[in-house]
Amino acid sequence: MFGDARGPESQSETGRVEAFSDGVMAVIITIMALELRAPLGGSGADLRARLPALLIYILSFTFIGIYWNNHHHLLRAARRVTGGVMWGNLHLLFWLSLIPVLTEWIGEHHGDTAPAVTYGVVCLGAAVAFTILSLAIIRADGSSSPVAATSRAASRWSSTRPRSGWRSSAHGSPTPCSRPCP
């Protein structure tokens, strides 16, 4: 998507960070898979009893897979790895490493609020960490970075797309829209 205008030294730098992160994410998925339990019996009722745990596993697997894919493309676009990029990367991996614990917790206590809220907080933490990592890469590569260009394009898209739900009235207070707002 961004091309590969990096030199061999830069590829080695980002490649090491990417390989380490790939390994961590593979371990995260492996831990989640090993925590899956088979139904206790052979009936449909036994399978239904395990269904919440299976569904949260599917959600968590997808969540980690999306981060792995986006992380891969982000690091492929990076030209330099600085200390800030490495700490930003570890910050992201920290939040992602909590997902297996929460996956098991929700699977066993799917009717309780605390596991779901904690899962949401960890997902938010991962999103913030990914943003911090992206900003660290932009800082390391400069304003001509492919990551910066992509970030600017995303900002332009989000500021020009039709909005629905709320718009500002003449006196500045938000009012609901029944169709895409101008």
Side-chain angles (χ1 to χ4, degrees):
M1 175 176 182
F2 297 111
D4 201 0
R6 304 174 302 166
E9 182 180 308
S10 175
Q11 287 176 346
S12 173
E13 264 184 46
T14 59
R16 290 186 64 211
V17 173
E18 187 179 0
F20 172 75
S21 301
D22 284 351
V24 171
M25 289 188 213
V27 168
I28 290 169
I29 288 175
T30 301
I31 290 169
M32 288 189 319
L34 291 174
E35 289 175 351
L36 281 176
R37 302 286 174 250
L40 295 174
S43 71
D46 294 322
L47 178 59
R48 275 192 301 280
R50 295 299 307 154
L51 193 58
L54 179 60
L55 292 175
I56 190 63
Y57 169 78
I58 292 168
L59 176 68
S60 295
F61 185 93
T62 303
F63 182 78
I64 297 297
I66 289 168
Y67 270 96
W68 171 75
N69 189 7
N70 290 338
H71 183 271
H72 166 77
H73 290 292
L74 182 67
L75 286 180
R76 288 291 170 163
R79 294 186 217 146
R80 294 186 59 227
V81 173
T82 61
V85 170
M86 290 177 70
W87 281 109
N89 191 59
L90 283 173
H91 183 220
L92 173 63
L93 294 175
F94 164 75
W95 288 105
L96 295 179
S97 72
L98 296 174
I99 296 295
V101 175
L102 297 171
T103 300
E104 182 177 13
W105 191 23
I106 291 175
E108 298 302 319
H109 303 280
H110 57 274
D112 298 333
T113 303
V117 169
T118 306
Y119 191 92
V121 168
V122 168
C123 290
L124 178 62
V128 169
F130 191 85
T131 301
I132 291 170
L133 175 59
S134 298
L135 294 172
I137 289 172
I138 291 169
R139 176 173 281 152
D141 286 351
S143 61
S144 65
S145 164
V147 177
T150 303
S151 179
R152 284 189 301 272
S155 293
R156 279 193 303 275
W157 176 82
S158 67
S159 65
T160 60
R161 68 184 170 85
R163 291 174 173 40
S164 61
W166 296 91
R167 65 183 164 134
S168 294
S169 64
H171 51 79
S173 63
T175 58
C177 295
S178 59
R179 56 181 169 65
C181 294

